[in-house]
Each structure stands twice: as C-alpha cells, then as structure tokens.
Amino acid sequence: MYNKFPNEGMRCIKEIVEEKKENLSYKIYDLRAEGQLPDDSYDIYISSGGPGDPSENEGWEDQYFDLLEKLWNHNLTNERKKYVFFICHSFQMASRFFKLGALSPRNSTAFGAMSVHKTKEGKTDPVLSALENIFYVIDSRDYQLLDITEEQLNRIGAQIVCLEKKRPHTTYQRAVMAIRYSEEFFGTQFHPEAEAASLLKFFGKEEQRKTITEKYGEEKYNNLIDVLEDPDRINLADRPIISTFLNIAIEKLQEVSTI
C-alpha cells in the first residue's frame, strides 16, 4: 500500500513475519504502484499502511474490495478461516469497505508517539493482551475514522477495541484506533509493526530530523525521540500486536489441519 513512498513499515513487517518462518512462508505484493494483488488462496494477509486520501479512487480499490469480500464470505461458510490484519491506510480502506463511520481529514497531522486507550472490549481482546490498558504507539496520519454507530458495528459483528487519547482541553472527537471486524479480521489505525531501536536510528538521521522538524516542528520531533528512548513509556521491542495476531492465526489453522 505504500505506493513507493519511503518508509520503514515494510522492513518491520518482514522482520515480524520472518520470526515465524518455521510456520510461515510469504510473498509481497505491491498493489498501488505495480497493480499486484494476491488471490484468495493464502491463509493470512497483512495489508500495510501508506499515503493518501482513503476516500479517493486511484483505480485499484475495486480489486482490493473484491478480495476482501471473497475472504469475508469464505469465513462465513468454511471451517478453515482466512486471517487479515490491516494497518493505517489499509485500516481506513477496510472501514470504508465495511461502511463503518466517517473518514475525514484531521485538523492537523497526527505524527509521533501517541497514547492509545483500550475500550471495554479491547481490555479482553487476545491480540492486545500483552499491552497495558493505555499504551504508546507510533502514529502517522492525516485522516481519521469517526462516528461509528452501534448499528454499523452490529451489522457485521465488529467491536471498537482502541480509541485515541483523551483530550479534555479540546472539543474534538476521539478517533477510532483499532477495530476487531471479526474473529479473523483485525485492524489498527496506528503502526504496530514499529520497533523502537530501528526507529531511533532512522529518525536520528539528519535528513529525517530536518524533514520532520520542517513539517511538524521541533517539539514533535523531540517528543518522538524522548518516547522512543524511554522503555517505561513505549514498548515496541517485540511488536506484540502483529506477533500475537499471527500466533493465534497459526495455532487455529494448525488445529483445523489436524482434525
């Protein structure tokens, strides 16, 4: 989904998947830049973040939504399920596909290390079990998901499991930060693939420091570095969300294979 935009996300995702190499083999598809799309024969899919307006049509969206519909319908009628994890831009696209809430531009870009709050449902969600009820994440977005109704959630059996940090000094709504769409479909607005040590190295480069301070300001840059350096505030070393999602998917797939 990155459309050739420079990023650390794909490297981080590959590292997480490589840690499961005894149980997984994988292939990377470049949908937006190369028009590559996997078929529905895979057991597990990770759909990455990327730039752009999630409400616009660039020409690849119908194919992507067709794949999601095939995977969703497969899970309705088959014992062996298909598992999908959505990150950032993909999370927004999935929410558009499921017609959940409103995708709208933020008043200002969210960038840096932010706190995220689990909802009541999130506190018991197995994918989030390794994290505290309030935890820090890497956030980078110009758009947000708002105004999801219970009726919309109930229609597909989804749950909001994380919300944006509380901001009592503003009148802005809290954006949705993670959704369990089903037992097999899970998505986060933030970047759970991020890993603190490599991000410190990446953002510590003069080119990155200059880019960030010019776009977001010195304060946001310094806050990002401070949080990444503080293990008591952010724990990204083992990237537990995607890793736990994969562990659960692998375990359930193996259970079905032995029946």
Side-chain angles (χ1 to χ4, degrees), residues 133-187:
N133 291 337
I134 300 175
F135 59 97
Y136 276 85
V137 301
I138 297 299
D139 195 11
S140 178
R141 58 193 163 95
D142 292 307
Y143 296 86
Q144 59 189 350
L145 179 63
L146 303 171
D147 298 326
I148 297 181
T149 67
E150 286 296 322
E151 181 180 1
Q152 290 173 308
L153 293 169
N154 292 338
R155 178 173 51 83
I156 64 169
Q159 294 179 331
I160 297 172
V161 293
C162 288
L163 290 170
E164 193 174 32
K165 66 180 180 180
K166 295 178 180 178
R167 296 179 292 173
H169 58 288
T170 74
T171 58
Y172 297 129
Q173 292 185 54
R174 297 168 71 193
V176 178
M177 296 301 286
I179 295 176
R180 175 168 289 286
Y181 300 96
S182 70
E183 287 192 22
E184 300 81 25
F185 283 37
F186 194 98

Side-chain angles (χ1 to χ4, degrees), residues 23-190:
N23 296 300
L24 292 176
S25 61
Y26 67 92
K27 184 174 180 179
I28 297 172
Y29 292 83
D30 188 339
L31 174 56
R32 294 173 70 180
E34 303 292 340
Q36 302 168 348
L37 185 74
D39 60 26
D40 59 353
S41 64
Y42 294 89
D43 290 313
I44 304 171
Y45 299 75
I46 298 176
S47 192
S48 78
D53 184 342
S55 65
E56 289 185 353
N57 291 319
E58 299 176 354
W60 52 268
E61 291 83 1
D62 287 345
Q63 288 180 296
Y64 182 69
F65 291 154
D66 285 346
L67 174 61
L68 296 187
E69 186 169 6
K70 287 179 181 178
L71 300 178
W72 185 266
N73 289 337
H74 170 94
N75 287 349
L76 295 177
T77 57
N78 289 272
E79 186 174 6
R80 185 180 179 89
K81 307 297 185 181
K82 306 287 186 177
Y83 295 82
V84 189
F85 195 101
F86 304 93
I87 300 171
C88 196
H89 191 77
S90 293
F91 167 84
Q92 295 168 354
M93 296 304 294
S95 299
R96 174 180 162 185
F97 170 74
F98 288 114
K99 297 181 174 60
L100 295 179
L103 291 165
S104 58
R106 284 181 51 81
N107 184 57
S108 62
T109 299
F111 177 82
M114 313 290 184
S115 61
V116 166
H117 295 232
K118 292 182 184 179
T119 64
K120 177 182 176 181
E121 292 78 12
K123 290 175 181 178
T124 59
D125 193 286
V127 168
L128 304 175
S129 60
L131 299 163
E132 300 295 329
N133 291 337
I134 300 175
F135 59 97
Y136 276 85
V137 301
I138 297 299
D139 195 11
S140 178
R141 58 193 163 95
D142 292 307
Y143 296 86
Q144 59 189 350
L145 179 63
L146 303 171
D147 298 326
I148 297 181
T149 67
E150 286 296 322
E151 181 180 1
Q152 290 173 308
L153 293 169
N154 292 338
R155 178 173 51 83
I156 64 169
Q159 294 179 331
I160 297 172
V161 293
C162 288
L163 290 170
E164 193 174 32
K165 66 180 180 180
K166 295 178 180 178
R167 296 179 292 173
H169 58 288
T170 74
T171 58
Y172 297 129
Q173 292 185 54
R174 297 168 71 193
V176 178
M177 296 301 286
I179 295 176
R180 175 168 289 286
Y181 300 96
S182 70
E183 287 192 22
E184 300 81 25
F185 283 37
F186 194 98
T188 64
Q189 174 63 81
F190 54 89

Side-chain angles (χ1 to χ4, degrees), residues 229-244:
E229 289 179 333
D230 187 349
D232 292 329
R233 294 179 67 192
I234 194 163
N235 178 19
L236 299 175
D238 55 359
R239 295 169 285 200
I241 294 178
I242 298 179
S243 182
T244 301

